[in-house]
């Protein structure tokens, strides 16, 4: 397969560079739209530096708006592409996305996207894509109005997820969909061992970066515009980390169980990528074991702690087993359980394509196994904080309700007076909000004795 590479030679046209980045995006998107890969595998080093922002914007944007793009593609094509031409399908979706959502001149979006088929080694597709995109420029309003009659298309969510959101949040489901369809803001967590957020806010302003204080997290700042982490003052030195406000609340909820017990023994089960691990260590003098079953993701935790100058015992093991445990009970356990990720769709829009209804059942079963396995590791009087980045009740308040029903020595200590989220059974549910926090669920449980 021929793959063109943009050249800096003066004889090379700018259009070739535009074709190359679109071909690279099509290659990256093909496994995602066929549900065989995810955006976590995205590698922007395959494109030149000047094109990386466009590359990521197109890849994430296509996933975010996929239901509408695919509905329009079906209207524009006389017959669907064959399975082996998923890259060409992705290229057509990229063209539609540019015309509808990016400020790229129509002639450039059409010409460079169609021309990118040559970079894929499929020159035959140039005329097909060119014809489809030119028709869209002529009939855009009518075609969009037609496909948007389907709520799944208009709201950019699969039908099963729309149904689940409507059942879980009858008064809020449309707001959740709207929040999911917008990119999440870049939120920072100040390392309290190295300063406070008011002082760091002043440093940001001096660097020309505008930000505001988070509403709920005392350590959080929201940037007006995302930026490269290397542009953040003191990032390399560990003064600040990137973490959503909702995720920062885990340390706040565990605080009452940890602050009175310096040197307390804490387990962070399912710890990767390590944001909550680091936050706990920044706030409390504790002995922390960070556990995760994914060795690659655990290495990321190690890198994060090294940058921040923090230390923990990192353990590569399965939290549904106990072969890693030394028999000494924990004062507190954080279980940030594997979940559907339906509260962070705006940051991981490929979830809408990759997740299936059957996954929710399997995930709920896994969450129950984790709770049952970890609870005996907690000392009497200790606290377990159950957390997910889901907005589905099967994984959240219903999961905790069932756990309490089968666990007589467990009681709820989730604060009722907190100012954030919706009361949800034994816990608190945050729903994603534009320009604010992601969707998250928390329930704090205490072991009697």
């Amino acid at each position: 397969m021929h793959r063109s590479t943009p050249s800096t030679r003066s004889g090379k046209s700018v259009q070739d560079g535009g074709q190359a980045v679109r071909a690279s995006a099509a290659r990256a998107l093909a496994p995602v739209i066929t549900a065989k890969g995810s955006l976590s595998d995205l590698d922007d080093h395959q494109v030149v530096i000047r094109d990386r922002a466009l590359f990521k914007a197109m890849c994430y944007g296509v996933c975010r708006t996929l239901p509408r793009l695919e509905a329009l593609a079906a209207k524009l094509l006389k017959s669907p592409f064959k399975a082996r031409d998923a890259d060409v399908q992705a290229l057509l979706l990229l063209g539609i996305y540019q015309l509808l959502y990016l400020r790229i001149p129509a002639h450039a979006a059409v010409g460079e996207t169609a021309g990118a088929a040559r970079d894929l080694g499929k020159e035959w597709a140039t005329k097909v894509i060119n014809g489809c995109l030119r028709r869209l420029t002529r009939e855009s309003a009518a075609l969009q109005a037609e496909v948007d009659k389907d709520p799944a298309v208009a709201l950019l969510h699969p039908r099963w997820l729309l149904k689940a959101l409507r059942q879980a949040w009858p008064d809020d489901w449309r707001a959740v969909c709207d929040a999911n369809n917008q990119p999440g803001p870049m939120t920072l967590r100040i390392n309290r061992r190295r300063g406070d957020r008011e002082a760091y806010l002043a440093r940001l302003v001096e660097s020309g970066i505008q930000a505001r204080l988070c509403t709920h997290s005392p350590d959080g700042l929201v940037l007006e515009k995302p930026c490269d982490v290397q542009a953040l003052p003191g990032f390399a030195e560990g003064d600040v980390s990137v973490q959503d406000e909702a995720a920062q609340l885990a340390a706040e909820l565990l605080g009452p169980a940890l602050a009175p017990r310096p040197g307390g023994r804490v387990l962070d089960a399912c710890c990767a990528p390590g944001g909550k691990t680091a936050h706990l260590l920044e706030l409390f003098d504790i002995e922390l074991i960070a556990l995760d079953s994914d060795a690659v993701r655990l290495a990321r935790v190690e890198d994060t702690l090294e940058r921040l100058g923090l230390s923990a015992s990192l353990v590569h093991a399965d939290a549904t087993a106990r072969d890693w445990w030394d028999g000494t009970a924990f004062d507190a356990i954080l279980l940030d359980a594997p979940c559907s990720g339906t509260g962070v769709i705006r940051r991981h829009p490929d979830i809408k394509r990759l997740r299936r209804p059957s996954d929710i059942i399997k995930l709920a079963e896994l969450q129950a196994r984790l709770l049952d396995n970890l609870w005996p590791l907690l000392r009497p009087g200790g606290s377990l904080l159950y957390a997910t980045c889901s907005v589905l009740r099967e994984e959240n308040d219903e999961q905790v309700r069932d756990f309490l029903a089968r666990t007589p020595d467990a009681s709820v200590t989730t604060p009722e007076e907190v100012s954030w989220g919706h009361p949800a059974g034994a816990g608190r549910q945050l729903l994603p909000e534009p320009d604010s926090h992601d969707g998250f669920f928390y329930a704090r449980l205490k072991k009697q004795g």
Side-chain angles (χ1 to χ4, degrees):
M1 179 183 291
H2 172 68
R3 179 178 176 181
S4 68
T5 303
S7 171
T8 57
R9 293 172 58 186
S10 58
K12 198 75 171 177
S13 71
V14 174
Q15 183 176 349
D16 286 338
Q19 291 176 7
V21 68
R22 287 161 175 81
S24 293
R27 291 190 192 96
L29 282 169
V32 179
I33 65 175
T34 55
K36 296 177 181 178
S38 75
L39 288 177
S40 63
D41 303 323
L42 199 65
D43 179 12
D44 63 3
H45 288 85
Q46 60 189 291
V47 298
V48 294
I49 293 176
R50 70 171 182 272
D51 288 335
R52 287 177 185 173
L54 176 61
F55 173 78
K56 293 186 73 172
M58 290 193 298
C59 288
Y60 276 81
V62 165
C63 289
R64 191 168 283 118
T65 57
L66 194 55
R68 176 179 283 160
L69 304 183
E70 289 184 324
L72 288 167
K75 293 288 183 183
L76 295 169
L77 287 168
K78 293 182 179 179
S79 59
F81 293 116
K82 295 179 180 178
R84 64 173 179 266
D85 295 319
D87 53 351
V88 179
Q89 170 76 2
L91 195 58
L92 176 57
L93 300 179
L94 280 162
I96 298 171
Y97 177 74
Q98 292 168 71
L99 290 174
L100 298 186
Y101 296 99
L102 293 184
R103 295 180 178 178
I104 294 176
H107 67 88
V110 173
E112 295 189 4
T113 303
R118 299 188 186 94
D119 289 52
L120 298 176
K122 297 180 178 179
E123 187 167 358
W124 59 266
T126 57
K127 291 184 178 179
V128 178
I129 292 175
N130 184 73
C132 289
L133 296 181
R134 287 189 179 278
R135 181 186 168 195
L136 181 61
T137 60
R138 297 191 303 269
E139 305 175 30
S140 177
L143 287 169
Q144 288 188 74
E146 186 175 353
V147 299
D148 282 347
K149 293 176 182 177
D150 182 348
V153 172
L155 296 172
L156 305 178
H157 282 64
R159 289 182 181 84
W160 75 266
L161 184 53
L162 284 181
K163 181 180 179 181
L165 292 174
R166 185 180 293 147
Q167 289 176 341
W169 303 102
D171 298 326
D172 303 288
W173 66 277
R174 281 187 175 272
V176 171
C177 289
D178 290 342
N180 286 347
N181 293 336
Q182 302 176 40
M186 185 172 178
T187 305
L188 308 181
R189 184 192 75 243
I190 307 309
N191 184 349
R192 214 184 289 180
R193 291 183 181 268
R194 302 177 65 92
D196 59 49
R197 65 174 179 172
E198 286 75 14
Y200 191 80
L201 180 60
R203 294 173 65 186
L204 287 175
V205 173
E206 291 175 2
S207 301
I209 300 173
Q210 300 301 312
R212 66 182 187 278
L213 303 182
C214 283
T215 303
H216 306 302
S217 170
D219 298 322
L221 292 166
V222 181
L223 301 188
E224 293 299 324
K225 294 181 180 179
C227 70
D228 190 287
V229 293
Q230 301 306 325
L232 297 172
F235 178 83
E237 294 74 25
D239 294 352
V240 67
S241 297
V242 178
Q243 186 182 38
D244 183 76
E245 181 180 15
Q248 295 181 33
L249 297 173
E252 295 300 315
L253 285 174
L254 265 185
L258 300 178
R261 301 180 63 87
R265 182 174 162 88
V266 180
L267 171 66
D268 184 358
C270 312
C271 66
K276 299 180 186 67
T277 309
H279 198 193
L280 288 171
L281 291 168
E282 289 169 359
L283 295 180
F284 308 107
D285 294 318
I286 53 178
E287 175 192 346
L288 190 144
I289 293 178
L291 183 80
D292 205 272
S293 60
D294 189 322
V296 174
R297 284 166 55 83
L298 193 63
R300 291 177 57 191
V301 179
E302 184 176 18
D303 292 341
T304 294
L305 297 182
E306 183 177 354
R307 178 179 65 84
L308 295 169
L310 303 169
S311 61
S313 297
L314 272 59
V315 178
H316 178 216
D318 185 350
T320 63
R322 297 183 196 168
D323 52 359
W324 53 271
W325 185 43
D326 64 5
T328 304
F330 292 97
D331 298 297
I333 296 175
L334 170 59
L335 173 54
D336 187 5
C339 71
S340 62
T342 47
V344 293
I345 285 176
R346 61 187 187 172
R347 301 191 190 278
H348 305 278
D350 51 344
I351 286 172
K352 291 189 285 189
R353 170 50 50 94
L354 303 177
R355 194 65 70 212
R356 296 288 184 269
S358 58
D359 295 337
I360 310 305
I361 298 172
K362 295 176 182 176
L363 285 164
E365 292 173 348
L366 173 58
Q367 293 151 8
R369 291 202 308 274
L370 286 165
L371 280 166
D372 291 342
N373 185 63
L374 294 174
W375 189 253
L377 280 56
L378 191 65
R379 70 165 178 82
S383 294
L384 183 149
L385 183 64
Y386 176 78
T388 76
C389 54
S390 170
V391 296
L392 301 182
R393 293 188 180 276
E394 298 96 316
E395 302 180 90
N396 295 344
D397 54 310
E398 292 179 7
Q399 180 71 257
V400 174
R401 178 201 64 194
D402 293 344
F403 175 73
L404 291 170
R406 65 179 182 267
T407 312
D409 61 346
S411 62
V412 179
T413 60
T414 308
E416 296 181 357
E417 72 279 3
V418 295
S419 61
W420 47 263
H422 299 256
R428 301 288 296 193
Q429 176 76 65
L430 294 112
L431 299 178
E433 294 184 2
D435 300 320
S436 185
H437 53 71
D438 291 341
F440 245 88
F441 174 84
Y442 288 108
R444 193 176 68 199
L445 308 172
K446 184 174 182 179
K447 191 170 189 177
Q448 301 304 311

